[in-house]
Amino acid sequence: VQLQASGGGVVQAGGSMRLSCVVSGSARYMGWFRQPLEKEREFVASIKWSGGSTYYADSVRGRFTISRDNAKNMVYLNMNSLKPEDTAVYYCAADERIILSSIRNPQAYDYWGQGTQVTVSS
């Protein structure tokens, strides 16, 4: 499985941004994670490829939306009402065997895209 993320940049607080991740290969769950400077990588959102069930970190629920386009093999992260604390390098991840109880654990994912920087200015 190969992943390629895109769509980062600089946005003002309160603004919106969409991240995209193209997936080659199959996956059971896709996830978005982020890593602020000098902090650990943290779970943002996940989606089950079959069925589309979605899961969110409390810090982004209601502001971020994860979605997928099966025909295009794409996963998206729509981010609204962005805050300076959302500033981080964002990564997409995938795994073929991950189970629901592990989707928030970055170590449970075998495949990662390159990161894309999101900077929210105040």
Side-chain angles (χ1 to χ4, degrees):
V1 179
Q2 293 185 323
L3 309 171
Q4 185 168 353
S6 61
V10 181
V11 64
Q12 288 190 331
S16 299
M17 182 177 290
R18 186 176 83 162
L19 304 182
S20 302
C21 180
V22 59
V23 184
S24 62
S26 62
R28 177 176 290 178
Y29 283 93
M30 295 287 303
W32 284 99
F33 289 78
R34 65 187 182 187
Q35 188 164 14
L37 189 63
E38 298 182 347
K39 294 185 178 180
E40 292 186 352
R41 194 166 297 189
E42 63 184 25
F43 173 77
V44 174
S46 182
I47 187 166
K48 190 174 183 181
W49 197 257
S50 175
S53 297
T54 57
Y55 308 87
Y56 296 94
D58 289 343
S59 59
V60 306
R61 186 176 290 113
R63 299 188 298 122
F64 291 12
T65 302
I66 187 172
S67 62
R68 89 255 190 261
D69 184 328
N70 290 19
K72 296 181 179 180
N73 283 347
M74 296 288 293
V75 176
Y76 304 100
L77 185 68
N78 284 286
M79 305 183 291
N80 297 317
S81 302
L82 282 161
K83 305 175 181 180
E85 51 263 43
D86 294 318
T87 295
V89 178
Y90 283 71
Y91 298 89
C92 57
D95 200 89
E96 300 167 292
R97 297 168 294 179
I98 193 171
I99 58 176
L100 179 58
S101 59
S102 298
I103 61 171
R104 298 171 188 268
N105 179 5
Q107 295 182 350
Y109 290 80
D110 283 342
Y111 304 102
W112 291 85
Q114 86 288 3
T116 183
Q117 177 70 46
V118 173
T119 301
V120 184
S121 61
S122 57

